[in-house]
PDB file of all heavy atoms in Angstrom:
ATOM      1  N   ASP A  86      83.730 211.378 192.666  1.00 97.00           N
ATOM      2  CA  ASP A  86      84.079 210.336 193.641  1.00 97.00           C
ATOM      3  C   ASP A  86      83.304 209.042 193.427  1.00 97.00           C
ATOM      4  O   ASP A  86      83.307 208.162 194.293  1.00 97.00           O
ATOM      5  CB  ASP A  86      83.874 210.848 195.071  1.00 97.00           C
ATOM      6  CG  ASP A  86      82.440 211.239 195.372  1.00 97.00           C
ATOM      7  OD1 ASP A  86      81.696 211.556 194.417  1.00 97.00           O
ATOM      8  OD2 ASP A  86      82.058 211.235 196.552  1.00 97.00           O
ATOM      9  N   ILE A  87      82.616 208.928 192.270  1.00 96.00           N
ATOM     10  CA  ILE A  87      82.022 207.654 191.870  1.00 96.00           C
ATOM     11  C   ILE A  87      82.221 207.516 190.366  1.00 96.00           C
ATOM     12  O   ILE A  87      81.858 208.413 189.594  1.00 96.00           O
ATOM     13  CB  ILE A  87      80.525 207.551 192.266  1.00 96.00           C
ATOM     14  CG1 ILE A  87      79.976 206.171 191.931  1.00 96.00           C
ATOM     15  CG2 ILE A  87      79.711 208.670 191.624  1.00 96.00           C
ATOM     16  CD1 ILE A  87      80.602 205.053 192.726  1.00 96.00           C
ATOM     17  N   ASP A  88      82.848 206.408 189.959  1.00 94.00           N
ATOM     18  CA  ASP A  88      83.266 206.266 188.571  1.00 94.00           C
ATOM     19  C   ASP A  88      83.743 204.829 188.373  1.00 94.00           C
ATOM     20  O   ASP A  88      84.135 204.151 189.326  1.00 94.00           O
ATOM     21  CB  ASP A  88      84.401 207.271 188.295  1.00 94.00           C
ATOM     22  CG  ASP A  88      85.008 207.121 186.920  1.00 94.00           C
ATOM     23  OD1 ASP A  88      84.522 207.761 185.981  1.00 94.00           O
ATOM     24  OD2 ASP A  88      85.992 206.368 186.785  1.00 94.00           O
ATOM     25  N   ILE A  92      85.696 202.337 191.105  1.00 96.00           N
ATOM     26  CA  ILE A  92      85.169 201.019 191.472  1.00 96.00           C
ATOM     27  C   ILE A  92      86.221 199.943 191.200  1.00 96.00           C
ATOM     28  O   ILE A  92      86.454 199.047 192.027  1.00 96.00           O
ATOM     29  CB  ILE A  92      83.876 200.724 190.693  1.00 96.00           C
ATOM     30  CG1 ILE A  92      82.762 201.680 191.141  1.00 96.00           C
ATOM     31  CG2 ILE A  92      83.444 199.274 190.894  1.00 96.00           C
ATOM     32  CD1 ILE A  92      81.506 201.606 190.292  1.00 96.00           C
ATOM     33  N   THR A 102      84.719 202.256 197.524  1.00 97.00           N
ATOM     34  CA  THR A 102      84.887 203.470 196.720  1.00 97.00           C
ATOM     35  C   THR A 102      85.035 204.697 197.613  1.00 97.00           C
ATOM     36  O   THR A 102      85.768 205.628 197.270  1.00 97.00           O
ATOM     37  CB  THR A 102      83.695 203.654 195.773  1.00 97.00           C
ATOM     38  OG1 THR A 102      82.468 203.652 196.521  1.00 97.00           O
ATOM     39  CG2 THR A 102      83.652 202.548 194.727  1.00 97.00           C
ATOM     40  N   GLU A 103      84.336 204.689 198.754  1.00 97.00           N
ATOM     41  CA  GLU A 103      84.448 205.820 199.675  1.00 97.00           C
ATOM     42  C   GLU A 103      85.864 205.952 200.216  1.00 97.00           C
ATOM     43  O   GLU A 103      86.405 207.070 200.308  1.00 97.00           O
ATOM     44  CB  GLU A 103      83.465 205.672 200.847  1.00 97.00           C
ATOM     45  CG  GLU A 103      82.001 205.799 200.475  1.00 97.00           C
ATOM     46  CD  GLU A 103      81.402 204.467 200.030  1.00 97.00           C
ATOM     47  OE1 GLU A 103      82.171 203.479 199.825  1.00 97.00           O
ATOM     48  OE2 GLU A 103      80.170 204.402 199.873  1.00 97.00           O
ATOM     49  N   ALA A 131      80.588 214.504 193.841  1.00 98.00           N
ATOM     50  CA  ALA A 131      79.460 214.075 193.015  1.00 98.00           C
ATOM     51  C   ALA A 131      78.404 213.351 193.844  1.00 98.00           C
ATOM     52  O   ALA A 131      77.199 213.547 193.642  1.00 98.00           O
ATOM     53  CB  ALA A 131      79.955 213.179 191.885  1.00 98.00           C
ATOM     54  N   THR A 132      78.828 212.520 194.783  1.00 98.00           N
ATOM     55  CA  THR A 132      77.867 211.727 195.553  1.00 98.00           C
ATOM     56  C   THR A 132      77.005 212.571 196.481  1.00 98.00           C
ATOM     57  O   THR A 132      76.013 212.076 197.015  1.00 98.00           O
ATOM     58  CB  THR A 132      78.593 210.648 196.373  1.00 98.00           C
ATOM     59  OG1 THR A 132      79.600 211.258 197.190  1.00 98.00           O
ATOM     60  CG2 THR A 132      79.230 209.614 195.465  1.00 98.00           C
ATOM     61  N   ASP A 133      77.367 213.836 196.666  1.00 97.00           N
ATOM     62  CA  ASP A 133      76.531 214.735 197.467  1.00 97.00           C
ATOM     63  C   ASP A 133      75.354 215.282 196.662  1.00 97.00           C
ATOM     64  O   ASP A 133      74.479 215.954 197.213  1.00 97.00           O
ATOM     65  CB  ASP A 133      77.354 215.914 198.002  1.00 97.00           C
ATOM     66  CG  ASP A 133      78.392 215.489 199.023  1.00 97.00           C
ATOM     67  OD1 ASP A 133      78.183 214.439 199.668  1.00 97.00           O
ATOM     68  OD2 ASP A 133      79.412 216.190 199.169  1.00 97.00           O
ATOM     69  N   ILE A 135      73.432 213.311 194.290  1.00 98.00           N
ATOM     70  CA  ILE A 135      72.692 212.233 193.629  1.00 98.00           C
ATOM     71  C   ILE A 135      71.221 212.607 193.449  1.00 98.00           C
ATOM     72  O   ILE A 135      70.636 212.396 192.375  1.00 98.00           O
ATOM     73  CB  ILE A 135      72.813 210.923 194.428  1.00 98.00           C
ATOM     74  CG1 ILE A 135      74.282 210.479 194.507  1.00 98.00           C
ATOM     75  CG2 ILE A 135      71.938 209.841 193.812  1.00 98.00           C
ATOM     76  CD1 ILE A 135      74.890 210.083 193.204  1.00 98.00           C
ATOM     77  N   LYS A 136      70.609 213.161 194.481  1.00 98.00           N
ATOM     78  CA  LYS A 136      69.190 213.546 194.409  1.00 98.00           C
ATOM     79  C   LYS A 136      68.961 214.520 193.260  1.00 98.00           C
ATOM     80  O   LYS A 136      68.010 214.375 192.478  1.00 98.00           O
ATOM     81  CB  LYS A 136      68.756 214.174 195.737  1.00 98.00           C
ATOM     82  CG  LYS A 136      67.337 214.713 195.757  1.00 98.00           C
ATOM     83  CD  LYS A 136      66.992 215.248 197.154  1.00 98.00           C
ATOM     84  CE  LYS A 136      65.610 215.909 197.182  1.00 98.00           C
ATOM     85  NZ  LYS A 136      65.604 217.181 196.427  1.00 98.00           N
ATOM     86  N   ILE A 139      69.197 212.777 189.834  1.00 98.00           N
ATOM     87  CA  ILE A 139      67.984 212.009 189.520  1.00 98.00           C
ATOM     88  C   ILE A 139      66.866 212.935 189.053  1.00 98.00           C
ATOM     89  O   ILE A 139      66.133 212.625 188.102  1.00 98.00           O
ATOM     90  CB  ILE A 139      67.548 211.184 190.746  1.00 98.00           C
ATOM     91  CG1 ILE A 139      68.579 210.079 191.031  1.00 98.00           C
ATOM     92  CG2 ILE A 139      66.155 210.584 190.540  1.00 98.00           C
ATOM     93  CD1 ILE A 139      68.333 209.317 192.313  1.00 98.00           C
ATOM     94  N   SER A 162      69.408 196.742 186.805  1.00 97.00           N
ATOM     95  CA  SER A 162      68.385 197.755 186.514  1.00 97.00           C
ATOM     96  C   SER A 162      68.665 198.410 185.169  1.00 97.00           C
ATOM     97  O   SER A 162      69.716 198.202 184.555  1.00 97.00           O
ATOM     98  CB  SER A 162      68.366 198.816 187.620  1.00 97.00           C
ATOM     99  OG  SER A 162      68.171 198.243 188.885  1.00 97.00           O
ATOM    100  N   TRP A 208      72.307 207.683 183.391  1.00 98.00           N
ATOM    101  CA  TRP A 208      72.133 206.868 184.606  1.00 98.00           C
ATOM    102  C   TRP A 208      72.475 205.421 184.266  1.00 98.00           C
ATOM    103  O   TRP A 208      72.011 204.896 183.248  1.00 98.00           O
ATOM    104  CB  TRP A 208      70.697 206.980 185.114  1.00 98.00           C
ATOM    105  CG  TRP A 208      70.492 206.303 186.446  1.00 98.00           C
ATOM    106  CD1 TRP A 208      69.974 205.053 186.666  1.00 98.00           C
ATOM    107  CD2 TRP A 208      70.816 206.827 187.727  1.00 98.00           C
ATOM    108  NE1 TRP A 208      69.964 204.779 188.014  1.00 98.00           N
ATOM    109  CE2 TRP A 208      70.477 205.857 188.694  1.00 98.00           C
ATOM    110  CE3 TRP A 208      71.362 208.027 188.178  1.00 98.00           C
ATOM    111  CZ2 TRP A 208      70.646 206.041 190.060  1.00 98.00           C
ATOM    112  CZ3 TRP A 208      71.552 208.228 189.531  1.00 98.00           C
ATOM    113  CH2 TRP A 208      71.185 207.248 190.462  1.00 98.00           C
ATOM    114  N   LYS A 209      73.299 204.795 185.100  1.00 97.00           N
ATOM    115  CA  LYS A 209      73.729 203.416 184.869  1.00 97.00           C
ATOM    116  C   LYS A 209      73.034 202.474 185.849  1.00 97.00           C
ATOM    117  O   LYS A 209      73.106 202.686 187.073  1.00 97.00           O
ATOM    118  CB  LYS A 209      75.243 203.294 185.057  1.00 97.00           C
ATOM    119  CG  LYS A 209      76.074 204.055 184.048  1.00 97.00           C
ATOM    120  CD  LYS A 209      77.560 203.787 184.276  1.00 97.00           C
ATOM    121  CE  LYS A 209      78.407 204.472 183.224  1.00 97.00           C
ATOM    122  NZ  LYS A 209      79.844 204.136 183.380  1.00 97.00           N
ATOM    123  N   GLY A 210      72.391 201.442 185.321  1.00 97.00           N
ATOM    124  CA  GLY A 210      71.785 200.444 186.182  1.00 97.00           C
ATOM    125  C   GLY A 210      72.838 199.731 187.013  1.00 97.00           C
ATOM    126  O   GLY A 210      73.950 199.468 186.551  1.00 97.00           O
ATOM    127  N   ALA A 211      72.485 199.415 188.240  1.00 96.00           N
ATOM    128  CA  ALA A 211      73.438 198.816 189.172  1.00 96.00           C
ATOM    129  C   ALA A 211      73.855 197.420 188.736  1.00 96.00           C
ATOM    130  O   ALA A 211      73.070 196.666 188.163  1.00 96.00           O
ATOM    131  CB  ALA A 211      72.832 198.759 190.565  1.00 96.00           C
ATOM    132  N   GLU A 215      78.266 196.722 193.411  1.00 94.00           N
ATOM    133  CA  GLU A 215      78.694 198.078 193.082  1.00 94.00           C
ATOM    134  C   GLU A 215      77.877 199.080 193.886  1.00 94.00           C
ATOM    135  O   GLU A 215      76.727 198.810 194.224  1.00 94.00           O
ATOM    136  CB  GLU A 215      78.496 198.371 191.591  1.00 94.00           C
ATOM    137  CG  GLU A 215      79.509 197.719 190.687  1.00 94.00           C
ATOM    138  CD  GLU A 215      79.386 198.218 189.252  1.00 94.00           C
ATOM    139  OE1 GLU A 215      78.440 198.980 188.953  1.00 94.00           O
ATOM    140  OE2 GLU A 215      80.253 197.842 188.444  1.00 94.00           O
ATOM    141  N   PRO A 216      78.446 200.244 194.197  1.00 96.00           N
ATOM    142  CA  PRO A 216      77.671 201.285 194.890  1.00 96.00           C
ATOM    143  C   PRO A 216      76.469 201.689 194.039  1.00 96.00           C
ATOM    144  O   PRO A 216      76.575 201.784 192.812  1.00 96.00           O
ATOM    145  CB  PRO A 216      78.656 202.450 195.017  1.00 96.00           C
ATOM    146  CG  PRO A 216      80.007 201.842 194.838  1.00 96.00           C
ATOM    147  CD  PRO A 216      79.822 200.679 193.920  1.00 96.00           C
ATOM    148  N   SER A 217      75.336 201.915 194.663  1.00 97.00           N
ATOM    149  CA  SER A 217      74.142 202.291 193.907  1.00 97.00           C
ATOM    150  C   SER A 217      73.194 203.096 194.772  1.00 97.00           C
ATOM    151  O   SER A 217      73.284 203.083 196.005  1.00 97.00           O
ATOM    152  CB  SER A 217      73.431 201.050 193.359  1.00 97.00           C
ATOM    153  OG  SER A 217      72.981 200.224 194.423  1.00 97.00           O
ATOM    154  N   TRP A 218      72.283 203.795 194.097  1.00 98.00           N
ATOM    155  CA  TRP A 218      71.259 204.597 194.755  1.00 98.00           C
ATOM    156  C   TRP A 218      69.920 204.282 194.076  1.00 98.00           C
ATOM    157  O   TRP A 218      69.879 203.988 192.871  1.00 98.00           O
ATOM    158  CB  TRP A 218      71.580 206.081 194.611  1.00 98.00           C
ATOM    159  CG  TRP A 218      72.789 206.522 195.371  1.00 98.00           C
ATOM    160  CD1 TRP A 218      72.815 207.126 196.597  1.00 98.00           C
ATOM    161  CD2 TRP A 218      74.161 206.424 194.956  1.00 98.00           C
ATOM    162  NE1 TRP A 218      74.105 207.386 196.976  1.00 98.00           N
ATOM    163  CE2 TRP A 218      74.959 206.957 195.993  1.00 98.00           C
ATOM    164  CE3 TRP A 218      74.799 205.893 193.833  1.00 98.00           C
ATOM    165  CZ2 TRP A 218      76.351 207.017 195.927  1.00 98.00           C
ATOM    166  CZ3 TRP A 218      76.180 205.939 193.757  1.00 98.00           C
ATOM    167  CH2 TRP A 218      76.943 206.491 194.785  1.00 98.00           C
ATOM    168  N   GLU A 219      68.855 204.373 194.827  1.00 98.00           N
ATOM    169  CA  GLU A 219      67.534 204.113 194.268  1.00 98.00           C
ATOM    170  C   GLU A 219      67.097 205.254 193.372  1.00 98.00           C
ATOM    171  O   GLU A 219      67.354 206.424 193.663  1.00 98.00           O
ATOM    172  CB  GLU A 219      66.516 203.882 195.384  1.00 98.00           C
ATOM    173  CG  GLU A 219      66.684 202.556 196.104  1.00 98.00           C
ATOM    174  CD  GLU A 219      66.602 201.366 195.152  1.00 98.00           C
ATOM    175  OE1 GLU A 219      65.715 201.366 194.274  1.00 98.00           O
ATOM    176  OE2 GLU A 219      67.448 200.455 195.272  1.00 98.00           O
ATOM    177  N   SER A 220      66.420 204.900 192.278  1.00 98.00           N
ATOM    178  CA  SER A 220      65.935 205.889 191.327  1.00 98.00           C
ATOM    179  C   SER A 220      64.639 205.384 190.709  1.00 98.00           C
ATOM    180  O   SER A 220      64.254 204.227 190.914  1.00 98.00           O
ATOM    181  CB  SER A 220      66.979 206.096 190.224  1.00 98.00           C
ATOM    182  OG  SER A 220      66.919 205.040 189.283  1.00 98.00           O
ATOM    183  N   PRO A 221      63.941 206.204 189.906  1.00 98.00           N
ATOM    184  CA  PRO A 221      62.730 205.739 189.220  1.00 98.00           C
ATOM    185  C   PRO A 221      62.994 204.589 188.248  1.00 98.00           C
ATOM    186  O   PRO A 221      62.049 203.924 187.806  1.00 98.00           O
ATOM    187  CB  PRO A 221      62.256 206.989 188.464  1.00 98.00           C
ATOM    188  CG  PRO A 221      62.827 208.138 189.227  1.00 98.00           C
ATOM    189  CD  PRO A 221      64.147 207.649 189.733  1.00 98.00           C
ATOM    190  N   TRP A 222      64.267 204.344 187.893  1.00 97.00           N
ATOM    191  CA  TRP A 222      64.599 203.305 186.927  1.00 97.00           C
ATOM    192  C   TRP A 222      65.269 202.105 187.614  1.00 97.00           C
ATOM    193  O   TRP A 222      65.907 201.284 186.964  1.00 97.00           O
ATOM    194  CB  TRP A 222      65.526 203.897 185.860  1.00 97.00           C
ATOM    195  CG  TRP A 222      65.061 205.275 185.496  1.00 97.00           C
ATOM    196  CD1 TRP A 222      63.997 205.599 184.713  1.00 97.00           C
ATOM    197  CD2 TRP A 222      65.588 206.502 186.003  1.00 97.00           C
ATOM    198  NE1 TRP A 222      63.826 206.953 184.669  1.00 97.00           N
ATOM    199  CE2 TRP A 222      64.804 207.544 185.460  1.00 97.00           C
ATOM    200  CE3 TRP A 222      66.644 206.849 186.842  1.00 97.00           C
ATOM    201  CZ2 TRP A 222      65.029 208.884 185.730  1.00 97.00           C
ATOM    202  CZ3 TRP A 222      66.875 208.186 187.123  1.00 97.00           C
ATOM    203  CH2 TRP A 222      66.086 209.179 186.578  1.00 97.00           C
ATOM    204  N   GLY A 223      65.139 202.064 188.939  1.00 96.00           N
ATOM    205  CA  GLY A 223      65.787 201.010 189.714  1.00 96.00           C
ATOM    206  C   GLY A 223      67.086 201.516 190.321  1.00 96.00           C
ATOM    207  O   GLY A 223      67.475 202.679 190.148  1.00 96.00           O
ATOM    208  N   SER A 224      67.780 200.676 191.036  1.00 97.00           N
ATOM    209  CA  SER A 224      69.024 201.091 191.671  1.00 97.00           C
ATOM    210  C   SER A 224      70.103 201.304 190.613  1.00 97.00           C
ATOM    211  O   SER A 224      70.151 200.608 189.597  1.00 97.00           O
ATOM    212  CB  SER A 224      69.487 200.043 192.682  1.00 97.00           C
ATOM    213  OG  SER A 224      69.709 198.797 192.038  1.00 97.00           O
ATOM    214  N   GLY A 225      70.960 202.283 190.846  1.00 97.00           N
ATOM    215  CA  GLY A 225      72.006 202.589 189.880  1.00 97.00           C
ATOM    216  C   GLY A 225      72.878 203.732 190.357  1.00 97.00           C
ATOM    217  O   GLY A 225      72.850 204.119 191.532  1.00 97.00           O
ATOM    218  N   ARG A 226      73.634 204.288 189.441  1.00 97.00           N
ATOM    219  CA  ARG A 226      74.520 205.407 189.757  1.00 97.00           C
ATOM    220  C   ARG A 226      74.599 206.336 188.548  1.00 97.00           C
ATOM    221  O   ARG A 226      74.269 205.935 187.416  1.00 97.00           O
ATOM    222  CB  ARG A 226      75.913 204.910 190.150  1.00 97.00           C
ATOM    223  CG  ARG A 226      76.601 204.045 189.100  1.00 97.00           C
ATOM    224  CD  ARG A 226      77.893 203.464 189.656  1.00 97.00           C
ATOM    225  NE  ARG A 226      78.492 202.481 188.759  1.00 97.00           N
ATOM    226  CZ  ARG A 226      79.361 202.759 187.796  1.00 97.00           C
ATOM    227  NH1 ARG A 226      79.720 204.032 187.585  1.00 97.00           N
ATOM    228  NH2 ARG A 226      79.861 201.801 187.039  1.00 97.00           N
ATOM    229  N   PRO A 227      75.045 207.569 188.755  1.00 97.00           N
ATOM    230  CA  PRO A 227      75.034 208.545 187.659  1.00 97.00           C
ATOM    231  C   PRO A 227      76.120 208.275 186.628  1.00 97.00           C
ATOM    232  O   PRO A 227      77.168 207.689 186.925  1.00 97.00           O
ATOM    233  CB  PRO A 227      75.291 209.872 188.377  1.00 97.00           C
ATOM    234  CG  PRO A 227      76.045 209.490 189.612  1.00 97.00           C
ATOM    235  CD  PRO A 227      75.476 208.172 190.032  1.00 97.00           C
ATOM    236  N   GLU A 232      77.046 214.584 186.378  1.00 97.00           N
ATOM    237  CA  GLU A 232      77.535 215.032 187.684  1.00 97.00           C
ATOM    238  C   GLU A 232      77.837 216.528 187.683  1.00 97.00           C
ATOM    239  O   GLU A 232      77.414 217.263 188.584  1.00 97.00           O
ATOM    240  CB  GLU A 232      78.789 214.240 188.065  1.00 97.00           C
ATOM    241  CG  GLU A 232      78.547 212.755 188.237  1.00 97.00           C
ATOM    242  CD  GLU A 232      79.813 211.974 188.487  1.00 97.00           C
ATOM    243  OE1 GLU A 232      80.921 212.545 188.366  1.00 97.00           O
ATOM    244  OE2 GLU A 232      79.700 210.781 188.811  1.00 97.00           O
TER     245      GLU A 232
END
Side-chain angles (χ1 to χ4, degrees):
D86 61 336
I87 184 65
D88 174 90
I92 293 172
T102 55
E103 292 87 350
T132 55
D133 293 335
I135 298 294
K136 176 177 175 290
I139 292 173
S162 304
W208 187 262
K209 295 184 177 184
E215 285 189 354
S217 63
W218 292 262
E219 288 303 317
S220 79
W222 319 284
S224 60
R226 57 187 172 89
E232 297 175 351

